[in-house]
């Protein structure tokens, strides 16, 4: 049951970055960062008191109180996950598909990674029965599963797992002695927060769950790396946090002082920040609905996006039309759509899916406009889909899939 990695089809070990907001940096954030740019002293490993207190305040608002001694900060979520994986030891279980950056952390440490199927209604969280079977088989083969990483609001599938699915999966994991890392990077990007219930595993079984949040999800530009982790309020949680701090210190993984100051400002959620987050989520949600309609209207499959700035499409119903274009697997699909759309379209193999499956993650950011001025207009517009540049971008996007549908229907060579 050893994991296999397809070779010869692109750099599969290092996946694409998370979908970018595509928007200008908030003036308030820029001012805060600039004001601290002349500070020469480094932020301590694990984050300074101000950043950790701001993280605790952020989580308290979301029903997950945490004092600063339970919080750790690092320059990006990959560094945090690497440290947690190194501190826990053992094998790692991941839902399939999953965020592109999860598996490389375990691979760097020489840990075995085992994929677990997800239920039909969502991604990000493993099917509980598949999880139990995977744990049983790994142990029967001499493995040592210790860590499950999951995400309720998911990259790449853009789904939000129902509370009952989360509850069953986390209960199964904890019953088998696994520690759970809940990646909640996208929890603040729910498209319809009034209609969507997001249940953090830490609300259910707080003694067995570490929460991880990359601030590039909703609050900071991706070029300002900062992430926070919340550890259980137990002796084991304190010991895990201490080991994580040791790993971060050995790596020199410190948040840059200006970025830490900006992150603390954002986590306290002043009006400027919350208004931008709300507006950005609303814009990406509107565009995601239109992109989803275009993809499914052409005959491809995709769950409706519920969070984030992306959707995950399965083009297997269009396989015949793709085949005549020389596209037979996910890497070739990535190459084809990246060229056709003029924007990155990473294949499903980068997220742990089978190379033979014709799946791809599509981001909404490139559809907001080609320039900062166009994207700013889209953010401010009451009806962004009616702006000429957004309408044109969506039309071009849809035509790439409509051409495949038409050729598949006629059984003719591509135009």
């Amino acid at each position: 049951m050893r994991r296999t990695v397809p070779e010869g089809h692109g750099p599969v070990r290092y996946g694409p970055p998370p979908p970018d907001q595509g928007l200008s940096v908030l003036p308030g954030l820029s001012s805060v960062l600039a004001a601290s740019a002349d500070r020469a002293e480094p932020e301590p490993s694990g984050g300074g008191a101000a950043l950790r207190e701001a993280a605790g305040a952020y989580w308290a608002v979301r029903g997950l109180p945490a004092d600063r001694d339970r919080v750790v900060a690092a320059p990006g979520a990959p560094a945090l996950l690497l440290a947690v994986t190194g501190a826990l030891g053992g094998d790692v279980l991941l839902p399939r598909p999953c965020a592109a950056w999860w598996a490389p952390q375990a691979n760097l440490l020489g840990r075995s990674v085992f994929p677990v199927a997800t239920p039909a209604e969502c991604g990000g969280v493993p099917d509980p029965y598949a999880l139990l079977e995977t744990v049983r088989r790994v142990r029967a083969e001499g493995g040592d599963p210790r860590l499950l990483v999951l995400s309720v609001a998911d990259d790449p599938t853009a789904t939000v797992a129902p509370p009952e699915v989360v509850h069953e999966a986390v209960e199964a994991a904890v019953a088998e002695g696994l520690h759970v890392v809940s990646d909640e990077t996208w929890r603040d990007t729910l498209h319809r927060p009034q209609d969507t219930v997001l249940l953090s595993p830490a609300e259910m079984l707080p003694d067995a769950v570490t929460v991880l949040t990359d601030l590039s999800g909703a609050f900071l530009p991706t070029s300002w790396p900062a992430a926070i982790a919340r550890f259980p309020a137990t002796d084991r949680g304190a010991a895990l946090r201490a080991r994580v701090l040791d790993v971060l210190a050995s790596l020199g993984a410190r948040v840059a002082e200006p970025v830490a100051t900006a992150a603390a400002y954002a986590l306290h959620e002043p009006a400027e920040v919350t208004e931008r987050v709300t507006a950005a989520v609303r814009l990406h949600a509107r565009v995601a609905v239109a992109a989803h309609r275009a993809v499914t209207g052409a005959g491809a499959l995709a769950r409706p996006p519920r969070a984030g700035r992306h959707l995950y499409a399965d083009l297997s119903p269009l396989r015949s039309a793709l085949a005549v274009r020389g596209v037979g697997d996910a890497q070739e699909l990535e190459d084809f759509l990246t060229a056709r759309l003029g924007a990155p379209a990473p294949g499903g193999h980068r997220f742990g899916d089978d190379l033979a499956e014709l799946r791809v993650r599509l981001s909404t950011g490139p559809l907001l406009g080609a320039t900062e001025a166009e994207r700013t207009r889209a953010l401010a517009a009451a009806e962004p889909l009616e702006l000429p540049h957004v309408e044109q971008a969506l039309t071009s996007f849809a035509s790439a899939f409509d051409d495949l549908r038409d050729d598949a229907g006629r059984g003719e060579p591509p135009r």
Side-chain angles (χ1 to χ4, degrees):
M1 191 173 162
R2 291 288 134 183
R3 178 186 60 88
T4 59
V5 178
E7 300 290 350
H9 285 78
V12 298
R13 291 185 180 87
Y14 304 99
D20 188 64
Q21 291 190 22
L23 301 171
S24 61
V25 179
L26 275 172
L29 278 177
S30 295
S31 297
V32 169
L33 183 133
S36 62
D38 61 350
R39 297 183 186 175
E41 66 275 10
E43 189 83 353
S45 292
L51 177 53
R52 289 184 286 116
E53 286 175 356
Y58 162 83
W59 275 311
V61 171
R62 289 152 181 80
L64 297 171
D67 60 50
R68 69 186 189 188
D69 292 333
R70 292 173 55 196
V71 175
V72 167
L80 275 176
L81 184 58
L82 177 70
V84 172
T85 305
L88 284 172
D91 300 329
V92 181
L93 280 72
L94 304 176
R96 185 175 194 177
C98 69
W101 56 272
W102 289 0
Q105 312 311 308
N107 293 337
L108 285 170
L109 295 168
R111 304 289 164 74
S112 294
V113 177
F114 297 95
V116 185
T118 55
E121 61 265 44
C122 66
V125 176
D127 176 89
Y129 298 104
L131 175 65
L132 292 172
E133 175 62 15
T134 302
V135 170
R136 185 193 66 78
R137 293 173 62 187
V138 171
R139 287 179 175 152
E141 294 180 3
D144 182 21
R146 297 189 193 179
L147 172 62
L148 168 67
V149 187
L150 54 77
S151 57
V152 179
D154 185 44
D155 171 24
T157 65
T159 58
V160 178
E164 60 274 16
V165 173
V166 178
H167 194 277
E168 292 175 2
V170 174
E171 276 200 331
V174 173
E176 291 297 327
L178 303 179
H179 188 77
V180 176
V181 166
S182 177
D183 177 6
E184 300 184 7
T185 295
W186 300 99
R187 71 167 295 154
D188 296 299
T189 66
L190 301 185
H191 293 179
R192 298 178 61 85
Q194 69 278 12
D195 299 328
T196 306
V197 178
L198 187 149
L199 177 66
S200 170
E203 297 178 65
M204 299 167 34
L205 296 170
D207 293 350
V209 178
T210 294
V211 178
L212 183 154
T213 299
D214 196 303
L215 300 186
S216 67
F219 295 102
L220 295 181
T222 55
S223 58
W224 299 5
I228 51 177
R230 174 190 182 274
F231 292 85
T234 63
D235 290 343
R236 293 182 66 183
L240 175 59
R241 179 180 181 273
R243 293 196 297 273
V244 165
L245 286 172
D246 289 340
V247 175
L248 293 174
S250 69
L251 294 173
R254 295 180 174 88
V255 182
E257 174 67 24
V259 174
T261 304
Y265 171 80
L267 287 168
H268 280 300
E269 300 184 276
E272 176 194 40
V273 170
T274 56
E275 289 169 4
R276 163 58 75 86
V277 169
T278 300
V281 170
R282 184 186 302 117
L283 172 61
H284 282 280
R286 295 283 299 277
V287 175
V289 168
H292 179 263
R293 186 184 304 118
V295 168
T296 56
L301 306 173
R303 297 185 184 100
R306 305 296 187 195
R309 303 184 282 265
H310 54 285
L311 65 151
Y312 197 59
D314 182 350
L315 274 64
S316 57
L318 304 173
R319 185 177 291 274
S320 60
L322 287 165
V324 297
R325 291 167 165 81
V327 176
D329 64 24
Q331 179 62 55
E332 292 165 351
L333 178 62
E334 173 182 315
D335 296 339
F336 170 74
L337 283 179
T338 296
R340 178 65 175 81
L341 299 175
H349 62 302
R350 299 190 183 274
F351 307 100
D353 254 336
D354 193 318
L355 178 66
E357 300 293 340
L358 295 175
R359 293 175 184 149
V360 65
R361 188 187 71 185
L362 303 165
S363 297
T364 52
L367 302 173
L368 306 183
T371 66
E372 183 175 317
E374 287 183 343
R375 295 189 291 270
T376 299
R377 286 175 57 204
L379 183 67
E383 298 294 338
L385 302 189
E386 296 179 3
L387 292 174
H389 70 272
V390 175
E391 185 176 19
Q392 182 179 359
L394 284 168
T395 299
S396 178
F397 177 87
S399 69
F401 299 95
D402 289 343
D403 288 348
L404 293 172
R405 176 200 60 200
D406 294 344
D407 290 341
R410 287 193 298 266
E412 297 177 358
R415 295 189 297 276

